[in-house]
Amino acid sequence: MNLAIKDIRHGLFRFVLTCLGLGLLMTVVLAMIGIYNGLVADALAVVKAPAADVWVVEAGTQGPFAEASSIPATTRDAVARMPGVAEAGAITYQTIEASHAGKTLRLYVIGFEPGRPGGPQRIAEGRGLGRSHFELVADRKTGLVPGETIRLGRDRFTVVGLVEDAMNSGGDPAVYVTLADTMTLQTTMDPAAARVQAARGDGGLRAPTVAAVIARLEPGADVALLTATVRQWKHLSALSQGEQEQLLLASVVDRARRQIGLFLGILLSVSAVMIALIIYTMTMEKLKQIATLKLIGAPDRTIVGLIVQQALILGISGLGIGLALILLVKDSFPRRVLLEPFNALVLTGIILIVCLVASGLGVRAALKVDPATALGG
Amino acid sequence: MVPGDILVDVRGVAKHYGEGETRVDALRSVDLRVHVGEVIALLGPSGSGKTTLLNVIGCILAPTAGRVELDGDAVFDGKWLRSDLRRLRLDKIGFIFQAHNLLPFLTAEENVSVVLDLAGWPSEKGRERARELLDYLEVGYRAKVKPALLSGGEAQRVAIARALANRPRIILADEPTAALDSGRAQLVMDLLRKLASEQKACIIAVTHDEKIFDRFDRLIHLRDGRLVDS
């Protein structure tokens, strides 16, 4: 006879409500884990998207994500000719706001040269850029659909394809356009502003610039040698893919990551205290019954089993409800909530340990109760 | 009576709480023998030591001094002689409580069979024995009902069934009729007497209920921790 199950079934409504409460708490914990993962994944997505081996950026900067970087567009040709480089592409990043369907969209515009590194790796819907101007591939979270048009700067672009999970570390969804179009976007000013500039005598031509040049290396090529060679050019610096990712995590998202991490720690502590309190209270309410069980001869293992099993059922049910809820609502969050099976596994481990430790308090109280309590005075 | 008939043998048992000026003597050199089939009552004012004596016999409370033998086994002689006191209670002692103390999350049948489950009976045999006892106590028709839905009399009969389930030879009862009306109290006592006789058990009950005094073989009076007469 399983006393734990019998007791739960006896007070099923109350137990379910308790599990639901714990489940909601677990939902918040899982949401925070998901947001934390999403933040890191989003930040890295934009760096990983071009599948580069080396990033060539402006000297003295940690661009193009941690700091602004501007190098001559012709750098791409110089890098492409270096020994060990299989292919190179120039790339620009720019955040702009655009109006669409009565709403203001904040977009992360990535300019690349079609046919060269820097474009989207996988098109989820539609096609990639086919023309050299006025087409764009957008992240699905922009809300844009293939065939739609949107005005960026002074030109109107047609959406030809959609990608997924392409955004910057701030969560702004990305749109891919040709490098030529982004250069126009960067340099084409409002006519009134252009007239003011011209009146000041600042109407001269400037050499086009890009944020970075990315290079993919031939198999067996030495990344360190290439970056060292690039750094010999006084106006350029080079970072390996690993360095770029580390730089992004350490500088751009580090504070937000630590903030969420700390909040997650507090949430887990609160959850642990809540679980401990619930289990302890559940046990204290049963002290007379436990005394009766002891009096009629129940061994300690029966009493410990009753408390520990209920604690584990409570914890696992709460976690299950939390998981179900977060999977149901995660796509409604404005930013990506990314949950890995590993996270659920670790949280399950933590909850099991918390339940066992918390039930220890209840077990201690139960084992101390005098069987004579059942007899009364 | 022959010596083998003695189920409870308490000799020179004393129990005190605290020391010095705060010392309270709950029991002072109590001697008591209860034989097979005997139904005895422990009487006395509040604080006289009735419950303490019941707890000592029930192996719930260690005396300060003395010797206790239950069903021929020495269980206390200055110290507990057995480490598995709960197993001893499970095998030899049945308890009936004033407030019946049925486990609220189990049905009447399960409240009885839980004892047998703890004693290691196969569950089907345990359920059979529980149903048999409940039928015998004329409460079998309430076997699947939880205690909250039982009347006071029904609950007390289920509690008696639980106390008897593992065929203990010593039944300790704390105010077994306190929650019952006069008629039901007489019935419960008659039933206990019958069971004691059939199962070759003894019954020791703490009671204040004068209406059932005639149902006991002996009335043991306690005052200030001493047996006054028996």
Side-chain angles (χ1 to χ4, degrees):
Chain A
M1 186 184 304
N2 190 312
L3 297 178
I5 300 287
K6 296 270 180 195
D7 187 36
I8 287 171
R9 285 174 64 183
H10 178 64
L12 191 62
F13 181 67
R14 191 176 165 201
F15 190 81
V16 168
L17 274 186
T18 310
C19 286
L20 201 63
L22 192 61
L24 290 173
L25 196 61
M26 289 297 108
T27 307
V28 180
V29 172
L30 285 162
M32 288 314 295
I33 294 174
I35 290 168
Y36 178 93
N37 286 342
L39 185 81
V40 174
D42 286 352
L44 291 180
V46 74
V47 182
K48 285 181 174 170
D53 293 315
V54 171
W55 291 74
V56 178
V57 298
E58 184 181 346
T61 72
Q62 296 186 320
F65 306 106
E67 285 181 282
S69 161
S70 180
I71 57 175
T74 51
T75 306
R76 195 254 302 153
D77 295 326
V79 173
R81 283 194 297 271
M82 291 179 75
V85 174
E87 50 183 343
I91 197 161
T92 64
Y93 297 100
Q94 186 181 359
T95 303
I96 64 166
E97 286 196 351
S99 292
H100 177 70
K103 286 193 291 188
T104 301
L105 288 179
R106 197 173 161 79
L107 301 171
Y108 190 54
V109 181
I110 301 172
F112 72 104
E113 300 167 281
R116 292 208 168 94
Q121 294 297 305
R122 202 181 73 82
I123 304 290
E125 194 180 331
R127 60 170 175 83
L129 301 184
R131 289 163 50 194
S132 55
H133 288 292
F134 311 130
E135 283 188 347
L136 66 80
V137 171
D139 181 82
R140 203 183 282 283
K141 284 211 167 171
T142 55
L144 297 168
V145 292
E148 268 189 322
T149 61
I150 181 169
R151 191 178 181 84
L152 301 180
R154 296 175 67 180
D155 301 308
R156 184 160 284 279
F157 289 72
T158 304
V159 181
V160 294
L162 295 179
V163 291
E164 282 170 348
D165 300 330
M167 62 199 69
N168 67 4
S169 60
D172 303 322
V175 292
Y176 288 90
V177 299
T178 61
L179 189 67
D181 282 342
T182 52
M183 284 180 173
T184 309
L185 263 176
Q186 281 173 351
T187 54
T188 307
M189 302 177 103
D190 181 71
R195 279 198 298 276
V196 172
Q197 288 287 76
R200 284 178 178 163
D202 190 15
L205 287 172
R206 284 179 184 169
T209 59
V210 294
V213 168
I214 54 174
R216 288 182 192 150
L217 304 191
E218 287 166 352
D222 188 351
V223 173
L225 181 67
L226 184 76
T227 54
T229 309
V230 170
R231 283 180 196 131
Q232 285 174 352
W233 284 324
K234 299 289 182 208
H235 65 298
L236 296 176
S237 181
L239 301 161
S240 69
Q241 175 69 17
E243 286 170 335
Q244 187 65 269
E245 287 178 19
Q246 269 309 109
L247 192 64
L248 190 74
L249 288 179
S251 61
V252 181
V253 295
D254 182 57
R255 197 169 290 177
R257 201 169 61 142
R258 276 191 290 148
Q259 178 111 337
I260 294 174
L262 189 64
F263 188 57
L264 184 61
I266 293 169
L267 259 181
L268 275 173
S269 307
V270 170
S271 306
V273 171
M274 288 289 293
I275 292 171
L277 200 65
I278 290 169
I279 293 167
Y280 187 69
T281 308
M282 277 167 59
T283 309
M284 294 310 280
E285 285 172 353
K286 279 198 283 283
L287 281 189
K288 180 102 178 179
Q289 293 157 31
I290 288 167
T292 304
L293 279 168
K294 279 183 166 183
L295 193 66
I296 62 175
D300 283 344
R301 69 171 182 279
T302 303
I303 290 153
V304 172
L306 170 70
I307 297 164
V308 172
Q309 283 176 53
Q310 287 194 345
L312 292 178
I313 292 170
L314 179 77
I316 297 299
S317 305
L319 187 64
I321 291 170
L323 264 173
L325 278 177
I326 194 65
L327 291 176
L328 212 63
V329 301
K330 76 182 177 70
D331 292 331
S332 309
F333 280 73
R335 287 203 60 171
R336 188 144 62 121
V337 175
L338 183 65
L339 281 169
E340 305 283 358
F342 175 74
N343 300 134
L345 211 64
V346 169
L347 190 61
T348 305
I350 292 173
I351 295 302
L352 288 181
I353 291 168
V354 166
C355 285
L356 286 174
V357 172
S359 58
L361 291 172
V363 164
R364 192 163 166 264
L367 294 183
K368 275 169 69 177
V369 72
D370 187 352
T373 315
L375 280 172
Chain B
M1 298 282 177
V2 291
D5 285 345
I6 297 170
L7 288 178
V8 176
D9 191 356
V10 173
R11 285 185 227 162
V13 162
K15 175 69 185 175
H16 66 79
Y17 300 99
E19 290 294 341
E21 288 183 4
T22 59
R23 176 173 164 136
V24 175
D25 287 297
L27 292 174
R28 301 167 201 239
S29 193
V30 171
D31 292 312
L32 175 68
R33 284 181 181 183
V34 187
H35 299 86
V36 170
E38 254 194 319
V39 179
I40 69 163
L42 294 178
L43 309 175
S46 182
S48 59
K50 308 181 297 291
T51 302
T52 305
L53 182 56
L54 205 67
N55 288 349
V56 166
I57 297 169
C59 303
I60 298 165
L61 191 65
T64 314
R67 182 181 166 82
V68 179
E69 274 184 32
L70 300 178
D71 196 13
D73 287 341
V75 294
F76 187 90
D77 193 0
K79 61 176 182 178
W80 290 116
L81 301 175
R82 288 181 60 158
S83 56
D84 55 342
L85 291 174
R86 280 192 222 168
R87 184 73 217 186
L88 179 85
R89 284 203 292 270
L90 187 60
D91 293 337
K92 289 188 186 291
I93 306 169
F95 290 91
I96 301 170
F97 311 93
Q98 178 178 345
H100 53 73
N101 283 15
L102 296 175
L103 298 172
F105 51 88
L106 300 181
T107 62
E109 184 185 297
E110 287 165 344
N111 260 288
V112 179
S113 64
V114 71
V115 177
L116 302 170
D117 205 45
L118 294 169
W121 284 45
S123 61
E124 191 45 49
K125 277 197 165 186
R127 278 201 296 274
E128 263 175 43
R129 166 79 176 150
R131 277 196 295 269
E132 184 186 303
L133 273 167
L134 291 172
D135 286 339
Y136 181 78
L137 291 161
E138 296 175 3
V139 74
Y141 65 101
R142 304 289 271 165
K144 300 295 176 195
V145 171
K146 291 209 173 141
L149 297 175
L150 296 173
S151 70
E154 287 170 340
Q156 193 61 304
R157 276 180 282 162
V158 174
I160 292 169
R162 179 176 66 183
L164 300 171
N166 201 26
R167 298 193 174 91
R169 300 200 68 200
I170 300 158
I171 295 162
L172 304 178
D174 186 23
E175 303 276 8
T177 59
L180 305 176
D181 59 49
S182 167
R184 285 233 169 264
Q186 306 273 5
L187 280 174
V188 164
M189 282 315 300
D190 287 344
L191 188 65
L192 286 174
R193 285 193 66 84
K194 190 175 160 199
L195 290 167
S197 165
E198 285 176 3
Q199 292 200 13
K200 297 192 186 316
C202 70
I203 296 172
I204 303 170
V206 167
T207 186
H208 289 102
D209 191 353
E210 290 180 13
K211 295 185 293 292
I212 58 166
F213 281 0
D214 59 342
R215 299 303 205 266
F216 291 97
D217 297 322
R218 276 193 288 160
L219 301 177
I220 312 277
H221 291 268
L222 278 142
R223 187 169 300 140
D224 299 329
R226 292 182 205 278
L227 290 191
V228 179
D229 53 52
S230 59

